[in-house]
């Protein structure tokens, strides 16, 4: 309740207000009397509410009742005894070293178990632990006596769905199983600069060789990596990696790439439409134009041009003659790829060409590949081939002074320079596909901007084989 003095003061104040209002209401118009009566009612209600409103309690004199309870202390001896009765295991982790034998690896893992050693050597699956590459992680669990309880490692099978090798002991019997590995996907971003070669630059940037090869494939129709690279060329790349327990298990796909070569910048971004019924995907420019070009710039990877499309002194005939193709010098046995989709028109020997394959394409285009050491298996006339299929291998059959590929590009059977001929790209993205692509491209453009150095060249349209 309110203290008495405050309540009395409030009542007196409200009574004066009521009295004043009463005199004014009595001498006023009907409208004024209605408003005044409402005011009198609200004032009377306020006095009643004030009289019954609870006051804040005073806790200074509240009684205090202390409560005490005895708690039983844990029995440490029982806990120690329970731990002593329980089996204790030890976990060791090691990486495979170059020159490791099974004995040296198990010794570092703390395994002293002749039965386990014999099992790993004899079991078909278990002995794959002896084939692990240097640097691979192996984890072993042993008991007090060094007896193997469990051993696990990620298998080096090169597949997209890697597995874990698990050797375990149950009821005294050892078994080996291959279990699916749970991988963590990461997206990594790297940048590099060319000083001597692409692989030297990617090694310096800590980019895996598999990613470097994808870069070559991405830009092979625009850049000949054997002859077009210049000191100071730069590249940026965004790619997938897959880890398990902090170890790199495998690399994935290049998601976006950018290459500054001789003052030109080429860009590509991978897009796989989730709404597509056929699946798959391809590389596109950031505006949605497809970068897959009809013909490869070079049918070989990492070669040098030993003779161009021009007049030359023939090395065997000893006279000046028009060279109707481009010679790519490469070691014997280097795979030769079809420059574009088409049908095999000829397989066999032709005079100075030696072993040669001729492929017919659409629109009057055809390509010829000479001096092969041998043809790819099952290659025959009338067979359909796709761009990048292996059709044969570099050699020096026919009129050749060393191993190389003689590559000809023909339009209506007339030879053209394959390094300068202009051919169309495939169809660009449109409609809903283009909208989905733009969200992917925006993310990759942001990543490229973070990797890019100031003063780099303007963008040119890239093409992807």
């Amino acid at each position: 309740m309110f203290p008495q003095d405050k309540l009395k003061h409030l009542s007196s104040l409200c009574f004066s207000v009521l009295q004043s209002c009463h005199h004014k209401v009595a001498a006023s118009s009907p409208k004024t009397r209605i408003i005044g009566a409402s005011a009198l009612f609200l004032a009377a209600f306020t006095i009643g509410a004030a009289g019954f409103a609870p006051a804040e309690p005073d806790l200074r004199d509240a009684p205090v009742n202390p409560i005490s309870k005895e708690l039983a202390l844990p029995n440490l001896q029982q806990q120690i005894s329970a731990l002593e009765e329980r089996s204790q295991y030890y976990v060791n982790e090691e990486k495979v070293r170059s020159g490791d034998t099974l004995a040296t690896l198990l010794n570092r893992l703390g395994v002293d178990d002749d039965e386990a050693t014999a099992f790993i050597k004899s079991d078909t699956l278990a002995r794959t632990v002896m084939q692990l590459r240097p640097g691979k992680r192996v984890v072993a669990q042993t008991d007090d006596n060094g007896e193997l309880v469990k051993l696990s490692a990620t298998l080096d099978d090169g597949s997209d769905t890697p597995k874990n090798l698990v050797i375990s002991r149950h009821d005294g019997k050892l078994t080996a199983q291959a279990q699916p590995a749970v991988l963590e996907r990461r997206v990594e971003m790297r940048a590099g600069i060319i000083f001597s070669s692409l692989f030297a630059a990617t090694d310096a940037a800590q980019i895996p060789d598999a990613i470097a090869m994808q870069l070559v494939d991405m830009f092979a129709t625009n850049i000949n990596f054997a002859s077009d690279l210049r000191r100071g060329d730069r590249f940026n790349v965004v790619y997938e990696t897959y880890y398990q327990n902090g170890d790199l298990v495998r690399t994935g796909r290049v998601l976006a790439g950018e290459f500054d070569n001789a003052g030109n910048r080429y860009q590509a971004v991978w897009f796989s439409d989730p709404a597509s019924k056929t699946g798959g995907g391809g590389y596109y420019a950031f505006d949605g134009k497809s970068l897959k070009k009809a013909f490869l710039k070079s049918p070989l990877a990492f070669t040098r041009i030993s003779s161009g499309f021009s007049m030359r002194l023939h090395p065997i005939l000893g006279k000046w003659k028009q060279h109707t193709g481009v010679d790519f010098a490469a070691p014997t046995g280097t795979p030769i790829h079809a420059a574009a989709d088409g049908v095999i028109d000829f397989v066999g020997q032709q005079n100075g060409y030696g072993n040669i394959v001729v492929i017919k394409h659409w629109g009057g285009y055809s390509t010829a590949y000479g001096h092969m050491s041998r043809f790819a298996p099952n290659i025959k006339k009338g067979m359909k081939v796709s761009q990048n299929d292996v059709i044969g291998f570099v050699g020096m059959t026919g009129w050749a002074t060393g191993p190389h590929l003689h590559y000809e590009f023909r339009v209506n059977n007339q030879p053209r320079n394959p390094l300068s001929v202009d051919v169309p790209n495939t169809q660009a993205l449109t409609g809903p596909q283009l909208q989905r692509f733009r969200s992917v491209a925006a993310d990759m453009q942001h990543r490229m901007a973070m990797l890019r150095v100031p003063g780099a060249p303007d963008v040119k349209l890239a093409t992807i084989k």
Side-chain angles (χ1 to χ4, degrees):
M1 300 292 287
F2 273 97
Q4 291 297 325
D5 54 345
K6 291 184 179 179
L7 185 58
K8 286 180 181 179
H9 176 71
L10 180 60
S11 300
S12 175
L13 180 61
C14 290
F15 180 75
S16 299
V17 172
L18 290 171
Q19 224 178 9
S20 173
C21 290
H22 174 72
H23 292 306
K24 289 182 179 179
V25 168
S28 60
S29 62
K31 182 178 179 181
T32 305
R33 285 198 293 270
I34 292 171
I35 296 174
S38 300
L40 289 172
F41 174 76
L42 290 174
F45 178 79
T46 303
I47 295 172
F52 289 99
E56 223 176 275
D58 189 352
L59 301 178
R60 286 177 296 180
D61 299 328
V64 177
N65 298 319
I67 299 174
S68 61
K69 186 176 182 180
E70 291 186 6
L71 299 176
L73 293 175
N75 190 323
L76 296 180
Q77 188 58 43
Q78 287 182 353
Q79 293 185 16
I80 294 171
S81 299
L83 289 174
E84 288 177 346
E85 293 174 0
R86 187 182 304 169
S87 299
Q88 298 297 310
Y89 298 124
Y90 302 89
V91 177
N92 285 305
E93 187 178 284
E94 285 288 337
K95 288 189 176 181
V96 178
R97 300 174 186 174
S98 181
D100 258 344
T101 63
L102 178 61
T104 57
L105 177 61
L106 293 180
N107 183 58
R108 290 203 312 275
L109 289 167
V111 178
D112 184 12
D113 189 337
D114 292 339
E115 183 185 356
T117 303
F119 175 77
I120 293 173
K121 288 181 178 179
S122 62
D123 186 85
T124 304
L125 180 58
R127 66 170 171 256
T128 56
V129 75
M130 302 165 61
Q131 301 166 4
L132 296 175
R133 297 193 310 267
K136 297 296 290 184
R137 188 190 303 269
V138 181
V139 180
Q141 189 180 67
T142 60
D143 63 11
D144 293 336
N145 300 318
E147 187 176 90
L148 182 66
V149 177
K150 185 178 180 181
L151 183 144
S152 61
T154 303
L155 293 175
D156 290 322
D157 58 1
S159 68
D160 290 338
T161 55
K163 295 179 175 60
N164 288 332
L165 168 65
V166 179
I167 301 171
S168 55
R169 189 188 298 272
H170 297 286
D171 298 328
K173 184 180 179 181
L174 288 165
T175 59
Q177 291 181 312
Q179 301 176 352
V182 179
L183 302 182
E184 172 198 357
R185 178 182 179 269
R186 301 181 187 177
V187 176
E188 302 197 20
M189 301 161 52
R190 302 282 181 180
I193 183 169
I194 304 293
F195 289 105
S196 57
S197 69
L198 175 64
F199 275 110
T202 54
D203 286 346
Q206 299 181 343
I207 297 172
D209 288 349
I211 299 301
M213 290 303 299
Q214 287 187 55
L215 276 177
V216 173
D217 290 340
M218 286 171 64
F219 298 117
T221 51
N222 295 97
I223 304 170
N224 187 318
F225 285 88
S227 60
D228 292 350
L229 293 185
R230 301 289 183 268
R231 184 180 178 87
D233 284 354
R234 296 176 180 271
F235 59 88
N236 304 317
V237 60
V238 181
Y239 59 94
E240 299 172 313
T241 51
Y242 293 88
Y243 284 78
Q244 185 181 39
N245 299 325
D247 282 339
L248 176 64
V249 175
R250 66 178 178 87
T251 56
R253 187 189 303 280
V254 170
L255 301 177
E258 184 174 77
F259 214 109
D260 294 343
N261 170 243
N264 299 318
R265 174 180 294 164
Y266 303 100
Q267 296 176 316
V269 56
W270 173 261
F271 176 64
S272 178
D273 188 5
S276 173
K277 295 181 180 179
T278 58
Y283 287 101
Y284 296 83
F286 283 108
D287 60 0
K289 292 180 181 177
S290 175
L291 299 183
K292 184 177 180 181
K293 205 163 186 177
F295 289 85
L296 303 181
K297 192 173 183 180
S298 169
L300 301 178
F302 289 98
T303 61
R304 65 179 178 85
I305 296 175
S306 56
S307 183
F309 185 89
S310 61
M311 293 292 294
R312 67 167 185 174
L313 184 65
H314 197 281
I316 293 179
L317 300 179
K319 59 182 181 181
W320 287 93
K321 188 177 179 182
Q322 173 67 40
H323 189 227
T324 56
V326 172
D327 289 348
F328 294 96
T332 298
T334 301
I336 300 170
H337 303 272
D341 298 346
V343 177
I344 302 294
D345 189 49
F346 181 85
V347 179
Q349 291 188 333
Q350 282 185 1
N351 301 325
Y353 288 106
N355 292 332
I356 184 173
V357 171
V358 179
I359 303 177
K360 258 190 179 178
H361 310 285
W362 69 99
Y365 295 114
S366 62
T367 51
Y369 312 79
H371 305 314
M372 291 184 177
S373 60
R374 58 190 175 92
F375 305 114
N378 303 321
I379 288 289
K380 59 184 179 180
K381 183 175 181 179
M383 175 182 174
K384 291 183 178 180
V385 292
S386 299
Q387 186 180 76
N388 217 37
D389 283 351
V390 175
I391 56 173
F393 302 88
V394 170
M396 50 183 297
T397 56
W399 296 348
T401 57
H404 70 278
L405 167 69
H406 174 83
Y407 174 55
E408 286 189 15
F409 188 93
R410 302 165 181 171
V411 180
N412 297 323
N413 290 323
Q414 297 299 312
R416 300 284 182 86
N417 187 347
L419 302 181
S420 60
V421 67
D422 189 23
V423 291
N425 293 359
T426 55
Q427 192 173 0
L429 295 172
T430 57
Q433 269 193 326
L434 181 59
Q435 296 302 318
R436 289 187 288 269
F437 168 80
R438 282 174 177 164
S439 64
V440 175
D443 174 47
M444 293 303 159
Q445 280 183 308
H446 176 68
R447 292 175 183 271
M448 289 297 169
M450 290 190 289
L451 292 169
R452 198 171 298 145
V453 295
D458 293 331
V459 176
K460 284 193 72 174
L461 183 66
T463 51
I464 298 298
K465 70 178 183 179

